[in-house]
Amino acid sequence: MKRKRSFSDSAQERKQQKLSSNLANDIARSLSVSMEDDVDMSSLPINIYSKPIDQENPVPTLRRISLSGTLNHTSSSLSQWLEKQAQANHISVAEFKILFHEKQKLLRQHLDLLQIPNQPFDSIRENLSKVLRLADDLSGDHTIPFSEIFPEWTLYENKINKLATYVQSIEDMSFSISNVIPQTNDLLQDIKGLQSTLDSKIALYGDALIQNGLEWKAMGMPVDDQLLNATSQWIHNLCIGVLDALDKECKKAQQQAQNMQDLIHLPIGQNLMSSILVGLEFISEASAFIGFTAQKLLYDCRILATIYGQWVSENLEHIHDKPPDKKTTPKRIAIRYMQWMDNMTRIISSLYSLGELEMRYRDPSLLSKLSVEGLSAIFVEVTIKALGIIEMERKNPSVSVNSKIAGNIMTNPHTTFIYMGESLLNYANKIIELAGREWSDGNRIQALHLYLKDLENSLESS
């Protein structure tokens, strides 16, 4: 999927350097999502390893075997358990023991087959499937530990667990790159769905993608490098798709609001900013999972972060406003304040993670524009407004160590002030971490450092 840039480099450079209250300037000129080096996955010859329709995923089967005797434990001995299983299968104990020992023998044979090195994937999958099916069958009603039923299992369990993860990972990768994740009209829920999908893949694959299957290769298992690369590219393309979708949502917002002040009062504004927040976190985590990103992707994420920062800045400006039919209590102000600061901290953490990754796709025209300086103005603006609110709270007579109010902890003005201060400190520290040494030595940041140190000391002494 290729999308050509539609704005000139000079216009893009102005995007991050100029803060504007006009939403058309903030958004319409801000987003131009493209990736000149996208790879057309359909043009690559990739082997597909599909899971047989009648076969259960190996990891859940292994988990069920491993948990035997823990969820519905019985104190029965093995002899008593065998008698119970024979009764459940409507055969004599002698007959059941014969079948039981035959299955044990078969299981040992297939476990030996699994130890043969340099097997093709299909052989590993077939032997693993037979091992798990026999072990699951031997477990019976799963009321006693499988190690009592098959004592040798403890010698093989660790390797079987790795083989099960390997097989299910390969099948899952094949399924993923062969299918399309559909989009709905609810971008926020779509991104949350993508995050859930990503979480499950991180739990399953581990570091296989970023390490190019190194552990699997060390164990003598066949690794299809093309499949791993295609999966990484597929995840990278999901990130590009999220940016593209966010771009469209920003354009929709532009049609309903002329500036940020209008946007903060519209439902689409809250929904858009929530989508930007979870979208940036998804892109950050997905890119860290595959171990690389692109300069253009990082650049566009920084633009989205700037837009989010402008929205938070506008909200901070009006934090004491009283909405129609709603009460603006100190507690409500504190909660909103901490939520915005925490969200900004999450935004900066995502940018920092992206900035630490390998830039697999490089665009020389962006080299001079990828510095954090374009973000500094809005980040410092948010900090200044947040400091102003903290100062107001510090001067509030009710914010005293001796002020005690029963009930919810957030009804204690002093406690509320401490939490607000800590959320600001976390945010400011992330700014300095993201900016790096050169920017943190500037006069503005040095002054901010001193104030924050004073605030931190006052919080610690409270």
Side-chain angles (χ1 to χ4, degrees):
M1 177 174 61
K2 284 194 175 184
R3 293 178 293 279
K4 298 298 182 181
R5 276 181 283 178
S6 55
F7 303 102
S8 67
D9 289 343
S10 59
Q12 286 179 327
E13 189 170 4
R14 289 196 302 270
K15 285 184 247 177
Q16 288 199 351
Q17 292 178 346
K18 182 179 179 181
L19 298 176
S20 170
S21 62
N22 187 301
L23 195 62
N25 291 332
D26 293 339
I27 294 177
R29 296 183 314 167
S30 288
L31 290 177
S32 172
V33 183
S34 68
M35 191 60 57
E36 301 299 335
D37 298 300
D38 285 356
V39 177
D40 182 3
M41 303 311 299
S42 63
S43 66
L44 299 178
I46 301 172
N47 294 322
I48 300 299
Y49 307 89
S50 300
K51 181 177 72 69
I53 297 176
D54 61 342
Q55 197 173 100
E56 185 181 6
N57 283 328
V59 172
T61 306
L62 179 59
R63 187 179 297 116
R64 185 168 60 247
I65 297 167
S66 299
L67 291 175
S68 291
T70 59
L71 299 180
N72 47 354
H73 179 68
T74 178
S75 58
S76 302
S77 66
L78 180 60
S79 298
Q80 292 172 325
W81 182 83
L82 288 170
E83 292 175 3
K84 182 180 179 182
Q85 303 309 302
Q87 184 178 8
N89 285 275
H90 307 291
I91 58 176
S92 68
V93 174
E95 289 177 306
F96 185 82
K97 284 184 176 180
I98 292 174
L99 293 174
F100 181 75
H101 292 309
E102 286 178 353
K103 290 176 183 177
Q104 284 183 319
K105 182 179 180 181
L106 276 175
L107 180 55
R108 292 187 184 97
Q109 291 175 354
H110 285 293
L111 282 170
D112 288 339
L113 289 174
L114 268 183
Q115 309 311 308
I116 299 174
N118 303 318
Q119 294 185 62
F121 174 79
D122 288 338
S123 295
I124 293 175
R125 176 169 58 185
E126 182 180 357
N127 288 325
L128 177 66
S129 175
K130 290 177 179 177
V131 164
L132 294 178
R133 190 160 52 243
L134 283 165
D136 196 33
D137 195 20
L138 273 171
S139 298
D141 58 6
H142 298 278
T143 55
I144 65 173
F146 190 64
S147 58
E148 295 183 21
I149 297 171
F150 192 80
E152 305 100 304
W153 185 254
T154 55
L155 301 175
Y156 297 99
E157 189 171 12
N158 184 51
K159 183 173 182 179
I160 292 173
N161 184 56
K162 291 181 178 179
L163 287 172
T165 299
Y166 160 75
V167 168
Q168 189 167 326
S169 295
I170 296 300
E171 291 176 343
D172 186 80
M173 291 178 190
S174 295
F175 177 83
S176 296
I177 66 172
S178 305
N179 289 271
V180 176
I181 297 179
Q183 292 186 20
T184 69
N185 293 326
D186 190 338
L187 178 58
L188 181 58
Q189 291 305 314
D190 283 347
I191 298 176
K192 288 180 178 180
L194 287 177
Q195 183 66 55
S196 178
T197 298
L198 177 65
D199 291 342
S200 66
K201 294 186 186 304
I202 291 174
L204 180 60
Y205 303 171
D207 60 2
L209 293 179
I210 198 171
Q211 295 291 339
N212 202 30
L214 184 63
E215 183 181 8
W216 296 340
K217 292 175 182 177
M219 292 179 63
M221 291 181 277
V223 175
D224 188 335
D225 290 331
Q226 284 189 328
L227 176 62
L228 266 61
N229 291 335
T231 303
S232 294
Q233 185 65 45
W234 178 80
I235 293 173
H236 180 65
N237 287 344
L238 286 181
C239 297
I240 299 169
V242 169
L243 282 174
D244 189 33
L246 288 170
D247 178 23
K248 294 176 181 177
E249 288 301 304
C250 286
K251 288 181 171 61
K252 290 180 183 176
Q254 179 198 352
Q255 296 173 358
Q256 298 187 35
Q258 293 301 311
N259 51 55
M260 280 293 176
Q261 186 173 354
D262 291 341
L263 190 62
I264 65 173
H265 299 299
L266 296 176
I268 191 175
Q270 178 62 56
N271 193 267
L272 171 61
M273 297 305 155
S274 296
S275 298
I276 289 176
L277 175 62
V278 297
L280 289 181
E281 289 187 318
F282 168 79
I283 292 169
S284 173
E285 291 183 33
S287 300
F289 180 43
I290 60 179
F292 69 88
T293 186
Q295 287 177 326
K296 185 63 173 68
L297 186 144
L298 175 59
Y299 180 59
D300 289 334
C301 285
R302 285 178 173 171
I303 293 170
L304 285 171
T306 302
I307 293 173
Y308 192 93
Q310 291 171 332
W311 184 78
V312 169
S313 176
E314 191 68 32
N315 272 287
L316 290 173
E317 183 74 25
H318 299 278
I319 194 170
H320 292 101
D321 292 356
K322 294 183 179 180
D325 303 325
K326 290 184 180 180
K327 293 183 179 180
T328 306
T329 64
K331 176 183 173 182
R332 185 184 297 273
I333 290 174
I335 291 174
R336 284 157 58 193
Y337 177 94
M338 289 185 286
Q339 183 181 39
W340 291 328
M341 301 313 297
D342 289 345
N343 288 349
M344 285 297 295
T345 302
R346 290 164 60 185
I347 290 282
I348 297 174
S349 296
S350 296
L351 293 181
Y352 183 81
S353 176
L354 283 170
E356 291 288 290
L357 295 173
E358 172 195 351
M359 295 295 166
R360 182 168 296 184
Y361 301 111
R362 296 186 177 275
D363 185 344
S365 66
L366 291 174
L367 288 177
S368 63
K369 292 178 272 181
L370 280 168
S371 72
V372 77
E373 292 176 3
L375 286 171
S376 64
I378 188 60
F379 283 171
V380 171
E381 180 179 311
V382 168
T383 307
I384 291 172
K385 290 183 179 180
L387 286 171
I389 296 170
I390 285 288
E391 277 300 306
M392 290 181 63
E393 291 299 313
R394 192 205 289 263
K395 296 173 182 177
N396 188 341
S398 64
V399 179
S400 166
V401 179
N402 298 320
S403 57
K404 303 288 185 181
I405 301 178
N408 191 310
I409 190 171
M410 289 304 294
T411 61
N412 186 321
H414 178 66
T415 303
T416 300
F417 172 71
I418 291 176
Y419 284 141
M420 291 175 69
E422 287 179 348
S423 67
L424 172 58
L425 286 171
N426 291 335
Y427 164 70
N429 287 332
K430 277 296 178 183
I431 292 178
I432 295 169
E433 183 180 12
L434 176 68
R437 186 70 206 170
E438 182 178 351
W439 190 55
S440 64
D441 283 340
N443 293 332
R444 179 182 286 179
I445 295 302
Q446 285 295 328
L448 175 61
H449 241 318
L450 293 173
Y451 181 89
L452 292 174
K453 192 65 179 176
D454 175 60
L455 175 61
E456 187 173 19
N457 291 335
S458 69
L459 291 175
E460 289 176 352
S461 63
S462 297

